Amino acid sequence: MAELGWTGLLIPEEAAGLGLCLGEVAALHEEIGRASIREPLVVTALLAARAVALGHNDRLRTEKLPGIISGNLTATLAWLGESTGLDTTNVGPVAVRSDSGWQISGTARYVPLANSVDAYIVAARSSDGILLFFLDDLTHVSIDSAALSDGTSQGNLTFDGLTVPPESVIADPEHGSSLLDDLLDIARVAVSAELLGNMQQVLDMSLTYLRQREQFGRSIGSFQVLQHKAVDLYIQIELARTALWRAVETIEAGADPNARAMTVSAAKWRCSEAGLSVVQQGIQFHGAIGYTDEYDLSLYVHRTIVLATFLGNARAHRARYAKLFISSEGKS
Amino acid sequence: MTEVDYNAMPDEEFRDMLRNFIEKECPASLRYQGRRVRWKEIKPWTLKLSKKGWLAPAWPVEHGGMGLDIEKMVAYHDIFDSAGVSRAPDMGIVMIGMLLIRFGSDAQKKYYLPRILACEDIWCQGYSEPGSGSDLASLRTKAILDGDHWVVNGQKIWTTVAQDATDIFMLVRTDPTAKKQEGISFLLARMDTPGITVRPIRTLGGEEEFCEVFFDDVRIPKENIVGNINEGWTMAKTLLGFERLTIGSPKFAMIAFGSLKELAREKGLFDDPVFVNDFIKLKMDIDDHVGTYRRYADALKHGGSLGPEMSILKIVSSELYQRVTELMLEVAGEQGPHLGPSNFGNASIDPLGYYFFSRPGTIYAGSNEIQRNILAKAVLEMPSQ
Ligand SMILES: Cc1cc2nc3c(=O)[nH]c(=O)nc-3n(C[C@H](O)[C@H](O)[C@H](O)COP(=O)(O)OP(=O)(O)OC[C@H]3O[C@@H](n4cnc5c(N)ncnc54)[C@H](O)[C@@H]3O)c2cc1C
């Protein structure tokens, strides 16, 4: 995928990116979901490459971005602290100013691809605000990695008073928080689109199976109860599509961070929840074969479980939406 | 053989007796497991139960069972379930043993039952075929009598832990010309009979939980038929009656709920009112399921019969189990998709394992769609389509 230049999806053309708009990115991720392609495009393109592209470090942009875009340098984003949370108040690592720059300690959790990348974009809290660093010397970082349902992995990165020079700062305390939120929300749009592609494919596979599989001398798709369940999935998918495209359009229209966060959470909630109900019902439609790992449906089941959780699950996004909703409208 | 009359024991004493034994003898690795435990892991514990004479609660005392009445049966399962004890491959006990007691010849009872109780024989159930799942009566694996043997050809699938089994009981077609339910017989075979091939199938949870079993000119002694030729279907249906109560037991939901509670405690979720609301709804649903289970069991005790309304128990228990595991997966947050157990505070829990293991409950033992069809027709007396 890097060969196609896709890692530069949202990066402006003058920085060697593809300069696509968010709508195109969403459409692409929907297809990635449909085909169940396990490329970490969200991580490399939308979290790591975008961080370097939108950051304030011209040297890193010149030296590192082309490598990330071409796929020669793989990178990920490390930020989340102990508590499950969606915004920058949940940043785990801590940065303290030192003589030679910054000293980083603490832990970033659930970092995608933690043990298989060359570099990290690390978000850390300081007394002045949140910073983003570029890190490719990992000698003082310990990684504890776990395998996930879909064959990918994530891990916890623990920094043991690692010293980082000022040249590695991508975003200073004034800009770090808004950049991080922007990176995460855009990535959530792509993950939602991938979930949408997953569910569409699972529905299609299920419909084919319902038509072909015969029991009691007729196709099981002729049983009305199964038809209604299929229709319910179709309805969920339509609602998910609406929520996804509302987020895309809101962001493309230049929404402020609050409006962006609300529509993104509305999309990620809906797509995560619908994604899981679609795979669950998909298993049921298929009977015992739906419970096997050998059958293609399993790819979508495993992937959906990971994507439904990645960058915040349904529950977390409903909570974020509620908080924003109440602070904007709840008082009136 | 013990001479204790368990049915005469006060309920609390009976429960304490089982509870103490489990606490003392059942290893933690067999409790609160979100997966099917394999035979070699659970064998030592099963042998302990066997030695106590507690392996077959429903079998009559004369055959080495506990001979429990329905009230004590419910208590027995209640204690094992709430202690989260894993199930051994027990199809010998709950299925074929029960069937032999009812329909087997004296020679079959004498040979098989003690071997089942001593855990010498492990049975698997060969009913389903690739083309015959919900519509089981359409099965095609055929057996033809040739001198002193049945010659069996065909294929079974989804045979739970066939790779660990020594014996298989199966439904085969013995009269291809009869109406589909009327040409089926019930056969028993050793798994090491030449011509039987087993291929394990991996589940979503990554476990080799069930298998395909192929029969290629397999010669089975003539006397290995249970009951009369072409009467296998009626017997299989009776067998389903025996398992109705077990299959509708709240066991799995309760075990998963125990782990959910532990996870919630470790993650401090009881301070989160949104979680508490969801959690309590599950708790109340489980309570009412247990209550319904008891009420039906009670009716049985007072001479009622197992009616089609028993399907309710299977539907509610399997769907509750899934809902508990769905909530567990979600509140596990980023650790939800982890393969295998992960640490939540001091607890090691496998939410993904639970989630996967709860999926097939709505499919096997008569899918929930089939159970609802039964209820609609037989209880609500709805007209046919
Ligand atoms: C974990 C597991 C263990 C198993 N262990 C064993 C075992 O040990 N031995 C054994 O013999 N079998 C076993 N089975 C097989 C099990 O009995 C079958 O899966 C079950 O009978 C359903 O058949 P099927 O899988 O072919 O699904 P199908 O019958 O093809 O059903 C597919 C879908 O169609 C629906 N459907 C079918 N008919 C109707 C209808 N009339 N109205 C509405 N909906 C309908 C079903 O509910 C299901 O959702 C096991 C299955 C599983 C999942």
Side-chain angles (χ1 to χ4, degrees):
Chain A
M1 286 210 164
E3 278 170 28
L4 296 171
W6 286 1
T7 318
L9 284 179
L10 272 178
I11 314 279
E13 284 171 273
E14 55 276 20
L18 283 183
L20 297 188
C21 68
L22 187 57
E24 292 164 318
V25 170
L28 175 67
H29 276 88
E30 193 180 331
E31 290 310 314
I32 288 175
R34 245 183 185 286
S36 197
I37 295 169
R38 308 293 157 91
E39 283 278 339
L41 204 56
V42 171
V43 177
T44 54
L46 299 182
L47 292 174
R50 260 190 104 229
V52 179
L54 298 184
H56 308 291
N57 191 316
D58 292 336
R59 181 189 64 88
L60 286 173
R61 199 176 309 126
T62 318
E63 287 178 12
K64 304 293 182 188
L65 193 53
I68 299 179
I69 290 178
S70 70
N72 290 334
L73 182 72
T74 55
T76 185
L77 174 71
W79 69 283
L80 188 59
E82 184 73 63
S83 68
T84 299
L86 301 182
D87 57 32
T88 46
T89 55
N90 299 101
V91 166
V94 177
V96 180
R97 244 181 245 281
S98 72
D99 297 341
S100 46
W102 294 86
Q103 207 179 32
I104 307 181
S105 55
T107 301
R109 290 182 193 273
Y110 317 120
V111 180
L113 312 175
N115 64 353
S116 54
V117 291
D118 309 312
Y120 299 90
I121 314 299
V122 178
R125 287 178 278 133
S126 77
S127 52
D128 303 328
I130 286 163
L131 298 100
L132 264 61
F133 297 94
F134 182 90
L135 241 172
D136 54 7
D137 176 11
L138 310 178
T139 34
H140 291 279
V141 184
S142 62
I143 304 168
D144 140 38
S145 176
L148 302 184
S149 187
D150 67 347
T152 64
S153 69
Q154 67 186 15
N156 300 337
L157 255 57
T158 303
F159 304 94
D160 182 18
L162 174 72
T163 304
V164 184
E167 301 87 76
S168 294
V169 173
I170 295 177
D172 59 31
E174 232 173 286
H175 302 99
S177 176
S178 64
L179 176 56
L180 182 57
D181 276 335
D182 180 302
L183 296 172
L184 293 170
D185 272 344
I186 296 298
R188 284 168 185 137
V189 171
V191 174
S192 302
E194 208 172 322
L195 279 163
L196 181 66
N198 258 286
M199 21 181 145
Q200 187 64 60
Q201 185 63 19
V202 171
L203 178 61
D204 287 354
M205 288 173 75
S206 299
L207 295 178
T208 305
Y209 194 78
L210 291 176
R211 287 187 196 103
Q212 284 170 356
R213 171 74 171 169
E214 286 189 7
Q215 289 291 275
F216 306 100
R218 51 202 273 202
S219 94
I220 58 172
S222 69
F223 296 121
Q224 213 157 41
V225 61
L226 301 187
Q227 294 177 355
H228 285 192
K229 287 186 175 168
V231 168
D232 286 343
L233 297 191
Y234 172 65
I235 292 172
Q236 280 302 312
I237 293 172
E238 284 300 290
L239 298 180
R241 194 182 306 284
T242 302
L244 170 69
W245 286 96
R246 182 179 46 220
V248 169
E249 282 157 18
T250 307
I251 294 168
E252 286 189 333
D256 64 46
N258 259 10
R260 182 192 67 208
M262 279 179 86
T263 59
V264 166
S265 279
K268 183 62 171 62
W269 160 68
R270 170 71 67 186
C271 291
S272 300
E273 187 126 316
L276 287 170
S277 29
V278 170
V279 295
Q280 283 159 201
Q281 183 58 47
I283 295 170
Q284 186 70 18
F285 280 147
H286 283 79
I289 201 171
Y291 180 54
T292 66
D293 227 22
E294 300 174 1
Y295 191 65
D296 269 0
L297 183 69
S298 69
L299 294 173
Y300 296 88
V301 175
H302 291 298
R303 188 66 178 158
T304 297
I305 289 168
V306 171
L307 293 176
T309 307
F310 186 39
L311 301 176
N313 64 19
R315 182 168 290 258
H317 278 286
R318 277 198 305 266
R320 180 167 83 149
Y321 186 96
K323 222 161 90 187
L324 292 165
F325 176 80
I326 289 164
S327 70
S328 69
E329 291 189 40
K331 288 169 221 126
S332 58
Chain B
M1 211 57 42
T2 38
E3 287 304 320
V4 191
D5 180 0
Y6 296 111
N7 294 329
M9 258 180 158
D11 200 56
E12 261 324 297
E13 191 184 321
F14 179 71
R15 285 170 179 265
D16 282 344
M17 172 186 84
L18 297 176
R19 210 179 278 131
N20 292 339
F21 186 71
I22 293 169
E23 288 313 322
K24 215 173 108 216
E25 303 286 351
C26 185
S29 60
L30 296 177
R31 298 176 59 180
Y32 297 101
Q33 293 298 315
R35 65 192 172 97
R36 182 175 288 281
V37 174
R38 294 289 294 278
W39 176 232
K40 60 175 183 300
E41 301 171 73
I42 202 168
K43 189 173 174 184
W45 156 247
T46 312
L47 283 172
K48 278 182 190 158
L49 279 176
S50 164
K51 236 171 131 185
K52 272 282 190 191
W54 291 352
L55 204 53
W59 290 17
V61 176
E62 56 179 301
H63 294 300
M66 295 173 84
L68 300 186
D69 62 23
I70 192 75
E71 190 175 6
K72 286 290 186 306
M73 274 283 279
V74 170
Y76 179 97
H77 288 299
D78 199 22
I79 293 300
F80 278 77
D81 297 353
S82 45
V85 180
S86 295
R87 227 178 100 181
D90 57 2
M91 277 183 229
I93 306 283
V94 298
M95 302 183 114
I96 188 63
M98 292 292 279
L99 189 89
L100 289 174
I101 288 168
R102 176 89 175 260
F103 298 107
S105 67
D106 285 341
Q108 285 170 339
K109 284 185 221 177
K110 229 173 121 189
Y111 178 74
Y112 290 114
L113 298 182
R115 297 174 64 91
I116 294 173
L117 283 179
C119 303
E120 281 170 44
D121 292 345
I122 300 299
W123 286 83
C124 63
Q125 177 197 33
Y127 285 9
S128 307
E129 298 181 6
S132 308
S134 298
D135 181 15
L136 182 59
S138 68
L139 62 92
R140 289 205 301 236
T141 296
K142 62 171 195 260
I144 294 170
L145 204 53
D146 174 28
D148 285 341
H149 288 88
W150 293 102
V151 181
V152 181
N153 278 287
Q155 184 195 346
K156 297 293 176 182
I157 195 168
W158 319 127
T159 323
T160 299
V161 295
Q163 70 273 50
D164 289 349
T166 55
D167 294 81
I168 183 167
F169 58 94
M170 56 180 163
L171 293 174
V172 292
R173 188 155 304 282
T174 36
D175 182 356
T177 59
K179 226 184 102 200
K180 59 181 187 176
Q181 283 87 352
E182 287 163 12
I184 295 172
S185 299
F186 205 108
L187 289 188
L188 312 175
R190 293 287 301 174
M191 289 298 281
D192 57 10
T193 316
I196 296 183
T197 319
V198 177
R199 187 185 74 89
I201 304 173
R202 207 171 284 282
T203 65
L204 281 177
E207 308 272 343
E208 290 185 343
E209 207 177 298
F210 45 28
C211 301
E212 284 182 293
V213 184
F214 300 93
F215 297 85
D216 192 8
D217 284 330
V218 177
R219 297 183 73 82
I220 297 171
K222 194 177 160 188
E223 63 271 19
N224 282 17
I225 187 167
V226 183
N228 294 323
I229 182 166
N230 295 334
E231 285 180 9
W233 186 254
T234 333
M235 284 186 292
K237 279 187 80 166
T238 316
L239 195 50
L240 287 183
F242 297 151
E243 58 160 359
R244 279 239 182 90
L245 204 59
T246 0
I247 216 79
S249 110
K251 172 177 188 129
F252 286 127
M254 279 166 74
I255 292 179
F257 191 75
S259 289
L260 174 62
K261 192 157 72 182
E262 202 183 2
L263 190 150
R265 207 183 294 123
E266 294 294 336
K267 287 197 74 156
L269 289 171
F270 289 120
D271 297 330
D272 170 2
V274 181
F275 170 76
V276 170
N277 202 288
D278 291 340
F279 178 83
I280 289 302
K281 184 164 189 308
L282 286 172
K283 154 108 180 63
M284 291 168 133
D285 281 340
I286 291 176
D287 286 350
D288 288 344
H289 173 53
V290 172
T292 310
Y293 179 79
R294 294 232 172 97
R295 188 157 63 81
Y296 286 4
D298 232 40
L300 282 180
K301 197 175 77 186
H302 295 109
S305 62
L306 284 164
E309 62 274 14
M310 297 295 283
S311 287
I312 292 178
L313 299 180
K314 196 270 176 172
I315 294 173
V316 177
S317 65
S318 56
E319 292 176 6
L320 252 173
Y321 181 31
Q322 292 183 343
R323 283 173 46 217
V324 173
T325 67
E326 284 157 26
L327 183 61
M328 192 178 346
L329 185 77
E330 188 165 36
V331 299
E334 280 75 7
Q335 283 167 275
H338 278 192
L339 279 178
S342 55
N343 292 330
F344 298 87
N346 294 317
S348 167
I349 300 170
D350 183 1
L352 185 68
Y354 269 118
Y355 180 80
F356 284 141
F357 196 45
S358 72
R359 293 304 110 194
T362 49
I363 295 169
Y364 59 58
S367 76
N368 287 21
E369 285 79 9
I370 296 293
Q371 303 287 354
R372 284 185 164 90
N373 287 347
I374 293 172
L375 286 167
K377 267 221 183 104
V379 180
L380 306 185
E381 297 177 356
M382 289 288 101
S384 302
Q385 283 197 27

